Amino acid sequence: LQGFADAIINARLDGQTVEPLLTRAELWANRYNDVRDRARIATAEGAERYQWRVGNTEHCATCLALNGVVATVKDWQALEARGIYPKSRSLECNGYHCQCERVKTDLPLTSGGIPFVAAA
């Protein structure tokens, strides 16, 4: 974080714009959301249900195929072991600007379970 702050200070001292640096901040914020989502699934009870929800952005085919799917934590953990989880680099979108998340729900499980999605 100190390096990021130093880069902003130096850009301002050199009369440069800090706009390119703000992209780094967005990426860091996205990584926080990634860690929070994965920790939620890693520490939940296996039978708890979570729903995949897309965020307010363009969506890749992988995220769209999972949108609205309700599955148990155990099932999400199995998919995550294959590299498929919100903001993952294994998604078709490579996780860039991905705003998907898994949200705890009481909705019924999706009939047929999680659809097959291949890692990118």
Side-chain angles (χ1 to χ4, degrees):
L1 218 46
Q2 186 60 51
F4 181 59
D6 290 343
I8 291 173
I9 291 167
N10 290 335
R12 287 196 170 153
L13 290 174
D14 293 340
Q16 298 174 355
T17 180
V18 295
E19 292 301 319
L21 299 172
L22 298 181
T23 301
R24 285 173 48 190
E26 182 181 334
L27 291 173
W28 288 354
N30 210 23
R31 289 282 56 112
Y32 167 80
N33 293 332
D34 171 30
V35 170
R36 183 192 67 207
D37 179 76
R38 293 180 71 192
R40 185 182 305 143
I41 296 300
T43 60
E45 297 291 326
E48 287 182 47
R49 289 172 284 180
Y50 280 76
Q51 181 182 40
W52 185 292
R53 293 188 188 161
V54 296
N56 187 20
T57 188
E58 291 186 36
H59 312 293
C60 69
T62 311
C63 293
L64 286 175
L66 294 169
N67 186 40
V69 170
V70 176
T72 65
V73 165
K74 184 177 177 183
D75 291 333
W76 288 124
Q77 288 171 342
L79 190 64
E80 192 167 309
R82 292 186 25 233
I84 305 295
Y85 53 89
K87 298 161 192 60
S88 167
R89 291 195 172 102
S90 294
L91 298 172
E92 184 180 316
C93 61
N94 296 309
Y96 298 117
H97 305 292
C98 183
Q99 296 178 2
C100 295
E101 62 180 342
R102 293 171 291 194
V103 178
K104 190 172 181 179
T105 186
D106 290 326
L107 292 171
L109 296 172
T110 298
S111 178
I114 299 172
F116 177 79
V117 291

